[in-house]
Structures are given as structure tokens and as C-alpha cells.
Coordinates of all heavy atoms in Angstrom, one line a residue:
M25 N 8.9 33.7 -4.3 CA 8.3 32.6 -3.4 C 8.4 31.3 -4.1 O 8.6 30.3 -3.4 CB 6.9 33.0 -3.1 CG 6.3 32.3 -2.0 SD 7.1 32.6 -0.5 CE 5.8 32.3 0.6
P26 N 8.2 31.1 -5.4 CA 8.4 29.8 -6.0 C 9.7 29.1 -5.7 O 9.8 27.9 -5.5 CB 8.2 30.0 -7.5 CG 7.4 31.3 -7.6 CD 7.9 32.1 -6.4
Y27 N 10.8 29.9 -5.6 CA 12.1 29.4 -5.3 C 12.1 28.7 -3.9 O 12.6 27.6 -3.8 CB 13.1 30.4 -5.3 CG 14.5 29.9 -4.9 CD1 15.3 29.1 -5.7 CD2 15.0 30.3 -3.6 CE1 16.5 28.6 -5.3 CE2 16.2 29.8 -3.2 CZ 17.0 29.0 -4.0 OH 18.2 28.5 -3.6
V28 N 11.4 29.3 -2.9 CA 11.4 28.7 -1.6 C 10.7 27.3 -1.6 O 11.2 26.4 -1.1 CB 10.7 29.7 -0.6 CG1 10.5 29.0 0.7 CG2 11.5 30.9 -0.4
S29 N 9.6 27.3 -2.3 CA 8.8 26.0 -2.4 C 9.6 24.9 -3.1 O 9.7 23.8 -2.7 CB 7.5 26.2 -3.2 OG 6.7 27.1 -2.4
T30 N 10.3 25.3 -4.2 CA 11.2 24.4 -4.9 C 12.3 23.9 -4.1 O 12.6 22.7 -4.0 CB 11.7 25.0 -6.2 OG1 10.6 25.4 -7.0 CG2 12.5 24.0 -7.0
A31 N 13.0 24.8 -3.4 CA 14.1 24.4 -2.5 C 13.6 23.5 -1.4 O 14.3 22.5 -1.1 CB 14.7 25.7 -2.0
L32 N 12.5 23.8 -0.8 CA 12.0 23.0 0.3 C 11.6 21.6 -0.3 O 11.9 20.6 0.4 CB 10.8 23.6 1.0 CG 10.2 22.8 2.1 CD1 11.1 22.7 3.2 CD2 8.9 23.5 2.6
S33 N 11.0 21.6 -1.4 CA 10.6 20.3 -2.0 C 11.8 19.4 -2.3 O 11.8 18.2 -2.1 CB 9.8 20.5 -3.3 OG 8.6 21.1 -3.1
L34 N 12.9 20.0 -2.7 CA 14.1 19.2 -3.0 C 14.7 18.7 -1.6 O 15.2 17.6 -1.5 CB 15.1 20.0 -3.8 CG 14.7 20.4 -5.2 CD1 15.7 21.4 -5.8 CD2 14.7 19.1 -6.0
Y35 N 14.6 19.6 -0.6 CA 15.2 19.3 0.7 C 14.5 18.1 1.4 O 15.1 17.3 2.1 CB 15.2 20.5 1.6 CG 15.9 20.4 2.8 CD1 17.3 20.1 2.8 CD2 15.3 20.5 4.0 CE1 18.0 20.0 4.0 CE2 16.0 20.4 5.3 CZ 17.4 20.2 5.2 OH 18.1 20.0 6.4
I36 N 13.1 18.1 1.2 CA 12.4 17.1 1.9 C 11.8 16.0 0.9 O 10.7 15.4 1.2 CB 11.2 17.7 2.7 CG1 10.3 18.4 1.9 CG2 11.8 18.5 3.8 CD1 9.0 18.9 2.6
N37 N 12.5 15.8 -0.2 CA 12.0 14.9 -1.2 C 11.9 13.4 -0.7 O 11.3 12.6 -1.3 CB 12.8 14.9 -2.5 CG 14.2 14.4 -2.3 OD1 14.7 14.3 -1.2 ND2 14.9 14.1 -3.4
D38 N 12.5 13.2 0.4 CA 12.5 11.8 1.0 C 11.5 11.7 2.1 O 11.5 10.7 2.9 CB 13.8 11.4 1.5 CG 14.4 12.3 2.6 OD1 13.9 13.4 2.7 OD2 15.4 11.9 3.2
I39 N 10.5 12.6 2.2 CA 9.5 12.6 3.3 C 8.7 11.3 3.4 O 8.2 10.9 4.4 CB 8.6 13.8 3.2 CG1 7.7 14.0 4.4 CG2 7.7 13.7 1.9 CD1 8.4 14.5 5.6
G40 N 8.7 10.5 2.3 CA 7.9 9.3 2.3 C 8.4 8.3 3.3 O 7.7 7.3 3.6
V41 N 9.7 8.4 3.8 CA 10.2 7.5 4.8 C 9.4 7.4 6.0 O 9.4 6.4 6.7 CB 11.7 7.8 5.1 CG1 12.6 7.7 3.9 CG2 11.8 9.1 5.8
I42 N 8.6 8.5 6.4 CA 7.8 8.4 7.5 C 6.6 7.5 7.4 O 6.0 7.2 8.4 CB 7.3 9.9 8.0 CG1 6.4 10.4 7.0 CG2 8.5 10.8 8.2 CD1 5.7 11.7 7.4
A43 N 6.3 7.1 6.2 CA 5.1 6.3 5.9 C 5.5 4.8 5.6 O 4.6 4.1 5.3 CB 4.3 6.9 4.8
E44 N 6.7 4.5 5.6 CA 7.1 3.1 5.3 C 6.5 2.1 6.2 O 6.5 2.2 7.4 CB 8.7 3.0 5.3 CG 9.4 3.7 4.2 CD 10.9 3.5 4.3 OE1 11.4 2.8 5.2 OE2 11.5 4.1 3.4
G45 N 5.8 1.1 5.5 CA 5.2 0.1 6.3 C 3.8 0.4 6.9 O 3.2 -0.4 7.6
V46 N 3.4 1.7 6.6 CA 2.1 2.1 7.2 C 1.0 2.0 6.1 O 1.2 2.4 5.0 CB 2.2 3.6 7.7 CG1 0.8 4.2 8.1 CG2 3.2 3.7 8.8
Q47 N -0.2 1.5 6.5 CA -1.3 1.4 5.6 C -1.9 2.8 5.5 O -2.4 3.3 6.5 CB -2.3 0.4 6.1 CG -3.5 0.3 5.1 CD -4.5 -0.7 5.6 OE1 -4.4 -1.3 6.6 NE2 -5.5 -0.9 4.7
G48 N -2.0 3.3 4.3 CA -2.6 4.6 4.1 C -4.1 4.4 3.8 O -4.6 3.3 3.9
V49 N -4.7 5.5 3.4 CA -6.1 5.5 3.1 C -6.3 4.7 1.8 O -5.5 4.8 0.9 CB -6.8 6.8 3.1 CG1 -6.8 7.4 4.5 CG2 -6.1 7.7 2.1
V50 N -7.4 4.0 1.7 CA -7.7 3.2 0.5 C -8.3 4.1 -0.6 O -9.1 5.0 -0.2 CB -8.7 2.1 0.9 CG1 -9.1 1.3 -0.4 CG2 -8.1 1.2 1.9
T51 N -8.0 3.9 -1.8 CA -8.5 4.7 -2.9 C -9.4 3.7 -3.7 O -9.5 2.5 -3.5 CB -7.4 5.3 -3.8 OG1 -6.7 4.2 -4.4 CG2 -6.4 6.1 -3.0
R52 N -10.0 4.3 -4.8 CA -10.8 3.4 -5.7 C -9.9 2.5 -6.5 O -10.4 1.5 -7.1 CB -11.6 4.3 -6.6 CG -12.7 5.0 -5.9 CD -13.5 5.8 -6.9 NE -14.8 5.9 -6.4 CZ -15.8 6.4 -7.1 NH1 -15.7 6.7 -8.4 NH2 -17.0 6.5 -6.5
L53 N -8.6 2.8 -6.6 CA -7.7 2.0 -7.4 C -7.2 0.8 -6.5 O -6.7 1.1 -5.4 CB -6.5 2.8 -7.9 CG -6.9 4.0 -8.8 CD1 -5.7 4.8 -9.2 CD2 -7.6 3.5 -10.1
E54 N -7.3 -0.4 -7.0 CA -6.8 -1.5 -6.3 C -5.3 -1.4 -6.0 O -4.5 -1.0 -6.9 CB -7.1 -2.8 -7.1 CG -6.9 -4.1 -6.4 CD -7.3 -5.3 -7.2 OE1 -8.3 -5.2 -7.9 OE2 -6.6 -6.3 -7.0
D55 N -4.9 -1.7 -4.9 CA -3.5 -1.7 -4.5 C -2.9 -0.3 -4.4 O -1.7 -0.1 -4.4 CB -2.7 -2.6 -5.3 CG -3.0 -4.0 -5.2 OD1 -3.5 -4.4 -4.2 OD2 -2.9 -4.7 -6.2
V56 N -3.7 0.8 -4.4 CA -3.2 2.1 -4.3 C -3.7 2.7 -2.9 O -4.9 2.8 -2.7 CB -3.7 3.0 -5.4 CG1 -3.2 4.5 -5.2 CG2 -3.1 2.5 -6.8
Q57 N -2.8 3.1 -2.1 CA -3.1 3.7 -0.8 C -2.3 5.0 -0.7 O -1.2 5.1 -1.2 CB -2.8 2.8 0.3 CG -3.6 1.5 0.3 CD -3.3 0.6 1.4 OE1 -2.4 0.9 2.2 NE2 -4.0 -0.5 1.5
V58 N -2.9 6.0 -0.1 CA -2.2 7.3 0.0 C -1.9 7.5 1.5 O -2.8 7.4 2.4 CB -3.1 8.4 -0.5 CG1 -2.5 9.8 -0.3 CG2 -3.5 8.2 -1.9
T59 N -0.6 7.8 1.8 CA -0.2 8.1 3.2 C 0.1 9.5 3.5 O 0.0 10.0 4.6 CB 1.0 7.3 3.5 OG1 2.1 7.6 2.6 CG2 0.8 5.8 3.5
H60 N 0.4 10.3 2.4 CA 0.7 11.7 2.7 C 0.5 12.5 1.4 O 0.6 12.0 0.3 CB 2.1 11.9 3.2 CG 3.2 11.4 2.3 ND1 3.4 10.1 2.1 CD2 4.0 12.1 1.5 CE1 4.4 10.0 1.2 NE2 4.8 11.2 0.9
I61 N 0.2 13.8 1.6 CA 0.1 14.8 0.5 C 1.0 16.0 0.9 O 0.9 16.5 2.0 CB -1.3 15.2 0.3 CG1 -2.2 14.0 0.0 CG2 -1.4 16.3 -0.8 CD1 -3.7 14.3 0.0
L62 N 1.9 16.4 0.0 CA 2.7 17.5 0.2 C 2.4 18.6 -0.8 O 2.4 18.3 -2.0 CB 4.2 17.1 0.1 CG 5.3 18.1 0.4 CD1 5.2 18.5 1.9 CD2 6.6 17.5 0.1
Y63 N 2.1 19.8 -0.3 CA 1.9 20.9 -1.2 C 2.6 22.1 -0.6 O 2.3 22.6 0.6 CB 0.4 21.2 -1.2 CG 0.1 22.4 -2.1 CD1 0.1 22.3 -3.5 CD2 -0.2 23.7 -1.6 CE1 -0.2 23.3 -4.3 CE2 -0.5 24.7 -2.4 CZ -0.4 24.6 -3.8 OH -0.7 25.6 -4.6
A64 N 3.6 22.6 -1.3 CA 4.5 23.7 -0.9 C 5.1 23.3 0.5 O 5.8 22.3 0.5 CB 3.7 25.0 -0.8
D65 N 4.8 24.0 1.5 CA 5.3 23.7 2.8 C 4.3 23.1 3.8 O 4.5 23.0 5.0 CB 6.0 24.9 3.5 CG 5.1 26.0 3.8 OD1 3.9 26.0 3.3 OD2 5.5 26.9 4.6
D66 N 3.2 22.6 3.2 CA 2.2 21.9 4.0 C 2.2 20.4 3.8 O 2.3 20.0 2.6 CB 0.8 22.5 3.6 CG 0.6 23.9 4.0 OD1 1.1 24.3 5.1 OD2 0.0 24.7 3.3
L67 N 2.0 19.7 4.8 CA 2.0 18.2 4.8 C 0.7 17.7 5.4 O 0.4 18.1 6.5 CB 3.2 17.7 5.5 CG 3.3 16.2 5.7 CD1 3.5 15.5 4.3 CD2 4.4 15.8 6.6
T68 N 0.1 16.8 4.7 CA -1.1 16.1 5.2 C -0.8 14.6 5.3 O -0.3 14.0 4.3 CB -2.3 16.3 4.3 OG1 -2.6 17.7 4.2 CG2 -3.5 15.6 4.8
L69 N -1.0 14.1 6.5 CA -0.8 12.7 6.7 C -2.2 12.0 6.7 O -3.1 12.5 7.3 CB -0.1 12.4 8.0 CG 1.3 13.0 8.2 CD1 1.8 12.7 9.6 CD2 2.2 12.5 7.1
L70 N -2.3 10.8 6.1 CA -3.5 10.1 5.9 C -3.3 8.7 6.4 O -2.4 8.0 6.0 CB -4.0 10.1 4.5 CG -4.1 11.5 3.9 CD1 -4.1 11.4 2.3 CD2 -5.4 12.2 4.3
A71 N -4.3 8.2 7.2 CA -4.2 6.8 7.7 C -5.6 6.3 8.0 O -6.5 7.1 8.3 CB -3.3 6.7 8.9
N72 N -5.8 5.0 7.9 CA -7.1 4.4 8.2 C -7.2 4.0 9.7 O -8.2 3.7 10.2 CB -7.4 3.1 7.3 CG -7.9 3.5 6.0 OD1 -8.5 4.6 5.8 ND2 -7.8 2.6 5.0
A73 N -6.1 3.9 10.4 CA -6.1 3.4 11.7 C -5.3 4.4 12.6 O -4.3 5.0 12.2 CB -5.4 2.1 11.9
P74 N -5.8 4.7 13.8 CA -5.2 5.6 14.7 C -3.7 5.3 15.0 O -2.9 6.2 15.1 CB -6.0 5.6 16.0 CG -7.4 5.1 15.5 CD -7.1 4.2 14.4
D75 N -3.4 4.0 15.2 CA -2.0 3.6 15.5 C -1.1 3.9 14.3 O 0.1 4.3 14.5 CB -1.9 2.2 15.9 CG -2.4 1.2 14.9 OD1 -3.3 1.5 14.1 OD2 -1.9 0.0 14.9
A76 N -1.6 3.8 13.1 CA -0.8 4.1 11.9 C -0.5 5.6 11.9 O 0.6 6.0 11.5 CB -1.5 3.7 10.6
M77 N -1.5 6.4 12.2 CA -1.3 7.9 12.2 C -0.3 8.3 13.3 O 0.6 9.1 13.0 CB -2.7 8.6 12.5 CG -2.6 10.1 12.6 SD -1.9 10.9 11.1 CE -3.2 10.7 10.0
Q78 N -0.5 7.7 14.5 CA 0.5 8.1 15.5 C 1.9 7.6 15.2 O 2.8 8.3 15.5 CB 0.1 7.4 16.9 CG 0.9 7.9 18.0 CD 0.8 9.4 18.2 OE1 -0.3 10.0 18.5 NE2 1.9 10.1 18.1
S79 N 2.0 6.5 14.5 CA 3.4 6.1 14.0 C 4.0 7.1 13.1 O 5.1 7.4 13.2 CB 3.2 4.7 13.4 OG 4.5 4.3 12.9
M80 N 3.2 7.6 12.1 CA 3.7 8.6 11.2 C 4.0 9.9 11.9 O 5.0 10.5 11.6 CB 2.7 8.8 10.1 CG 2.7 7.7 9.0 SD 1.8 8.1 7.5 CE 0.1 8.2 8.1
L81 N 3.2 10.3 12.9 CA 3.5 11.5 13.6 C 4.8 11.4 14.4 O 5.6 12.3 14.4 CB 2.3 11.8 14.6 CG 1.0 12.3 13.9 CD1 -0.1 12.3 14.9 CD2 1.2 13.6 13.2
N82 N 5.0 10.2 15.0 CA 6.3 10.0 15.7 C 7.5 10.0 14.8 O 8.5 10.6 15.1 CB 6.2 8.6 16.4 CG 5.2 8.6 17.5 OD1 4.7 9.6 18.0 ND2 4.8 7.4 17.9
R83 N 7.3 9.4 13.6 CA 8.4 9.4 12.6 C 8.6 10.8 12.1 O 9.8 11.2 11.8 CB 8.1 8.5 11.5 CG 8.1 7.0 11.9 CD 7.6 6.2 10.7 NE 7.5 4.8 11.1 CZ 7.1 3.9 10.3 NH1 6.8 4.1 9.0 NH2 7.0 2.6 10.7
L84 N 7.6 11.6 12.0 CA 7.7 13.0 11.5 C 8.6 13.8 12.4 O 9.4 14.6 11.9 CB 6.3 13.6 11.3 CG 6.3 15.1 10.8 CD1 6.9 15.2 9.5 CD2 4.9 15.6 10.8
V85 N 8.4 13.6 13.7 CA 9.2 14.4 14.7 C 10.7 14.1 14.5 O 11.5 15.0 14.5 CB 8.7 14.1 16.1 CG1 9.7 14.7 17.1 CG2 7.3 14.6 16.3
V86 N 11.0 12.8 14.3 CA 12.4 12.4 14.1 C 12.9 12.9 12.8 O 14.0 13.4 12.8 CB 12.5 10.8 14.2 CG1 13.9 10.4 13.8 CG2 12.1 10.3 15.6
Y87 N 12.1 12.8 11.8 CA 12.5 13.3 10.4 C 12.7 14.8 10.5 O 13.8 15.3 10.0 CB 11.4 13.0 9.4 CG 11.7 13.5 8.1 CD1 12.4 12.7 7.2 CD2 11.2 14.7 7.6 CE1 12.7 13.2 5.9 CE2 11.5 15.2 6.3 CZ 12.3 14.4 5.5 OH 12.5 14.9 4.2
A88 N 11.8 15.6 11.1 CA 12.0 17.0 11.1 C 13.3 17.4 11.9 O 14.0 18.3 11.5 CB 10.8 17.7 11.8
H89 N 13.5 16.7 13.0 CA 14.8 16.9 13.8 C 16.0 16.7 13.0 O 17.0 17.4 13.0 CB 14.7 16.1 15.1 CG 15.9 16.3 15.9 ND1 16.1 17.4 16.7 CD2 17.0 15.5 16.1 CE1 17.2 17.4 17.3 NE2 17.8 16.2 17.0
S90 N 16.0 15.6 12.2 CA 17.1 15.2 11.4 C 17.4 16.3 10.3 O 18.5 16.4 9.8 CB 17.0 13.8 10.7 OG 16.1 13.9 9.7
K91 N 16.4 17.0 9.8 CA 16.5 18.0 8.8 C 16.6 19.4 9.4 O 16.6 20.4 8.6 CB 15.3 17.9 7.8 CG 15.2 16.6 7.1 CD 16.1 16.6 5.9 CE 15.8 15.4 5.0 NZ 16.6 15.4 3.8
D92 N 16.6 19.5 10.7 CA 16.6 20.8 11.4 C 15.4 21.7 11.0 O 15.5 22.9 10.8 CB 17.9 21.6 11.1 CG 19.1 21.0 11.7 OD1 19.0 20.5 12.9 OD2 20.2 21.0 11.1
L93 N 14.3 21.0 10.9 CA 13.0 21.7 10.7 C 12.2 21.8 11.9 O 12.3 20.9 12.8 CB 12.2 20.9 9.6 CG 12.9 20.8 8.2 CD1 12.1 19.9 7.3 CD2 13.0 22.2 7.6
T94 N 11.3 22.7 12.0 CA 10.4 22.9 13.1 C 9.0 22.6 12.7 O 8.6 23.1 11.7 CB 10.5 24.3 13.7 OG1 11.9 24.6 14.0 CG2 9.6 24.5 14.9
I95 N 8.3 21.8 13.6 CA 6.9 21.6 13.3 C 6.1 22.5 14.2 O 6.3 22.6 15.4 CB 6.5 20.1 13.7 CG1 7.4 19.1 12.9 CG2 5.0 19.9 13.5 CD1 7.3 17.7 13.4
N96 N 5.2 23.3 13.5 CA 4.4 24.2 14.3 C 3.1 23.5 14.8 O 2.2 23.3 14.1 CB 4.0 25.4 13.4 CG 3.3 26.5 14.1 OD1 2.8 26.3 15.2 ND2 3.2 27.7 13.5
T97 N 3.2 23.0 16.0 CA 2.1 22.2 16.5 C 0.8 23.1 16.7 O -0.3 22.6 16.7 CB 2.5 21.5 17.9 OG1 2.9 22.5 18.8 CG2 3.5 20.5 17.6
A98 N 1.0 24.4 16.9 CA -0.2 25.3 17.0 C -1.0 25.3 15.7 O -2.2 25.6 15.7 CB 0.3 26.7 17.4
K99 N -0.3 25.1 14.6 CA -1.0 25.1 13.3 C -1.4 23.7 12.8 O -1.9 23.5 11.7 CB -0.2 25.8 12.3 CG -0.1 27.3 12.5 CD 0.9 28.0 11.5 CE 0.5 27.8 10.1 NZ 1.4 28.5 9.1
S100 N -1.1 22.7 13.6 CA -1.3 21.3 13.3 C -2.7 20.8 13.8 O -3.0 21.1 15.0 CB -0.2 20.4 13.8 OG 1.0 20.8 13.4
E101 N -3.4 20.1 13.0 CA -4.8 19.7 13.4 C -5.0 18.3 12.9 O -4.4 17.7 12.1 CB -5.8 20.6 12.7 CG -5.8 22.0 13.1 CD -6.8 22.9 12.4 OE1 -7.8 22.3 11.9 OE2 -6.7 24.1 12.4
V102 N -6.0 17.7 13.6 CA -6.5 16.3 13.2 C -7.9 16.4 12.7 O -8.7 17.1 13.4 CB -6.4 15.4 14.4 CG1 -7.0 14.0 14.1 CG2 -5.0 15.2 14.9
V103 N -8.2 15.8 11.6 CA -9.5 15.6 11.2 C -9.8 14.1 11.2 O -9.1 13.3 10.5 CB -9.7 16.2 9.7 CG1 -11.1 16.0 9.3 CG2 -9.3 17.6 9.7
Y104 N -10.8 13.7 11.9 CA -11.1 12.3 12.1 C -12.4 12.0 11.5 O -13.5 12.4 11.9 CB -11.2 12.0 13.6 CG -11.2 10.5 14.0 CD1 -10.0 9.8 14.0 CD2 -12.4 9.9 14.4 CE1 -10.0 8.5 14.3 CE2 -12.3 8.6 14.8 CZ -11.2 7.9 14.7 OH -11.2 6.5 15.1
F105 N -12.4 11.2 10.4 CA -13.6 10.9 9.6 C -14.1 9.5 10.0 O -13.4 8.7 10.6 CB -13.2 10.8 8.1 CG -12.9 12.1 7.5 CD1 -11.6 12.5 7.3 CD2 -13.9 13.0 7.2 CE1 -11.3 13.7 6.7 CE2 -13.6 14.3 6.6 CZ -12.3 14.6 6.4
N106 N -15.4 9.3 9.7 CA -16.1 8.1 9.9 C -16.2 7.6 11.4 O -16.2 6.4 11.6 CB -15.5 7.0 9.0 CG -15.6 7.3 7.6 OD1 -16.6 7.8 7.1 ND2 -14.6 6.9 6.8
S107 N -16.1 8.5 12.3 CA -16.3 8.1 13.7 C -17.8 7.9 14.0 O -18.6 8.6 13.5 CB -15.7 9.2 14.6 OG -16.4 10.4 14.5
K108 N -18.0 6.9 14.7 CA -19.4 6.6 15.1 C -19.9 7.5 16.1 O -19.1 7.9 17.0 CB -19.5 5.1 15.5 CG -19.2 4.2 14.4 CD -19.4 2.7 14.8 CE -19.2 1.9 13.6 NZ -18.5 0.7 13.8
R109 N -21.1 7.8 16.1 CA -21.7 8.7 17.1 C -21.4 8.2 18.5 O -21.7 7.0 18.8 CB -23.2 8.9 16.9 CG -23.9 9.9 17.8 CD -25.3 10.1 17.3 NE -25.2 10.7 16.0 CZ -25.8 11.9 15.6 NH1 -26.5 12.5 16.5 NH2 -25.7 12.3 14.4
G110 N -20.9 9.0 19.3 CA -20.6 8.6 20.7 C -19.2 7.9 20.9 O -18.8 7.7 22.0
A111 N -18.6 7.6 19.8 CA -17.3 7.0 19.8 C -16.2 8.0 20.3 O -16.3 9.2 20.0 CB -16.9 6.4 18.5
Q112 N -15.3 7.5 21.1 CA -14.2 8.4 21.6 C -13.2 8.6 20.5 O -12.6 7.6 20.0 CB -13.6 7.8 22.8 CG -12.6 8.8 23.4 CD -12.1 8.2 24.8 OE1 -12.6 7.2 25.3 NE2 -11.1 9.0 25.3
V113 N -12.9 9.8 20.1 CA -11.9 10.1 19.2 C -10.5 10.1 19.8 O -10.4 10.7 20.9 CB -12.1 11.5 18.5 CG1 -11.0 11.9 17.6 CG2 -13.5 11.6 17.8
P114 N -9.6 9.4 19.3 CA -8.3 9.2 19.9 C -7.5 10.6 20.0 O -7.7 11.4 19.1 CB -7.5 8.2 19.1 CG -8.3 8.2 17.8 CD -9.7 8.6 18.0
T115 N -6.7 10.7 21.0 CA -5.8 11.9 21.1 C -4.5 11.5 20.4 O -3.9 10.5 20.7 CB -5.5 12.3 22.5 OG1 -6.8 12.6 23.2 CG2 -4.6 13.5 22.6
F116 N -4.1 12.4 19.5 CA -2.8 12.2 18.8 C -1.8 13.1 19.4 O -2.1 14.3 19.7 CB -3.0 12.4 17.3 CG -3.8 11.4 16.6 CD1 -5.2 11.6 16.3 CD2 -3.4 10.1 16.3 CE1 -6.0 10.7 15.8 CE2 -4.2 9.2 15.7 CZ -5.5 9.5 15.5
M117 N -0.5 12.7 19.5 CA 0.5 13.5 20.1 C 1.5 13.8 19.0 O 1.9 12.9 18.1 CB 1.2 12.8 21.2 CG 0.3 12.3 22.3 SD -0.5 13.8 23.2 CE 0.9 14.5 24.0
L118 N 2.0 15.0 19.0 CA 3.0 15.5 18.0 C 4.1 16.3 18.8 O 3.7 17.4 19.3 CB 2.4 16.3 16.9 CG 3.4 16.8 15.8 CD1 4.1 15.7 15.1 CD2 2.7 17.7 14.8
A119 N 5.3 15.8 18.9 CA 6.3 16.5 19.6 C 5.9 16.9 21.0 O 6.2 18.0 21.5 CB 6.8 17.7 18.8
G120 N 5.2 16.0 21.7 CA 4.8 16.2 23.1 C 3.5 17.1 23.3 O 3.1 17.3 24.4
A121 N 3.0 17.5 22.2 CA 1.7 18.3 22.2 C 0.5 17.5 21.7 O 0.7 16.8 20.7 CB 1.9 19.6 21.4
A122 N -0.6 17.6 22.4 CA -1.8 16.9 21.9 C -2.4 17.7 20.8 O -2.5 18.9 20.9 CB -2.8 16.8 23.1
L123 N -2.8 17.0 19.8 CA -3.4 17.7 18.6 C -4.9 17.6 18.7 O -5.5 16.7 19.3 CB -3.0 17.0 17.3 CG -1.5 17.1 17.1 CD1 -1.2 16.3 15.8 CD2 -1.0 18.5 17.0

């Protein structure tokens, strides 16, 4: 199993292109923002604004297609933090499916 993870990591080592120009979540370190976390074959996208998240999701679809990868939208989820009580949580789309 470690071989599969290593091979996949090498194959998608350029995954950061989906986050170019997108403001990621702010960290305690000045000028350090995080846009994505990759662990084995799981990817987490992070953004402070809904439009930034949707932009990365759109780019992810194009990226996956270019690498002949499939995104399992049934296993994809959105976690929306810091929403105000009663605020409408935006709907995010991934490959034509609402998350």
C-alpha cells in the first residue's frame, strides 16, 4: 500500500496549480496561508471565501480530467466554519454535483 501512495503523490505533485491566485485560510504566521492539504489519496481544500473555494473546485475538475483521475463526489463534503446563525450556507458544485 505505501507504494500506491508514493506513486500517487509523485503523479499529482503539481496539485498546487488549482490554488494559484486563491487566498487560502489565514494562519498564525504572517504571510502564510494554506489552500490545500494532501494526505495519501485524500485532498482537503481550504479557503476563506466561498468564491475562492468554488474556483478551486472548478480547477480541481479540470485538473483531475487532465490526469485521468475520477473525483468521487459521493465521498466529497463541505465543512463551512464561522457561519452566522441564520446565514445561508452557499452551495458548492463539483463536477455538476452539489456538495
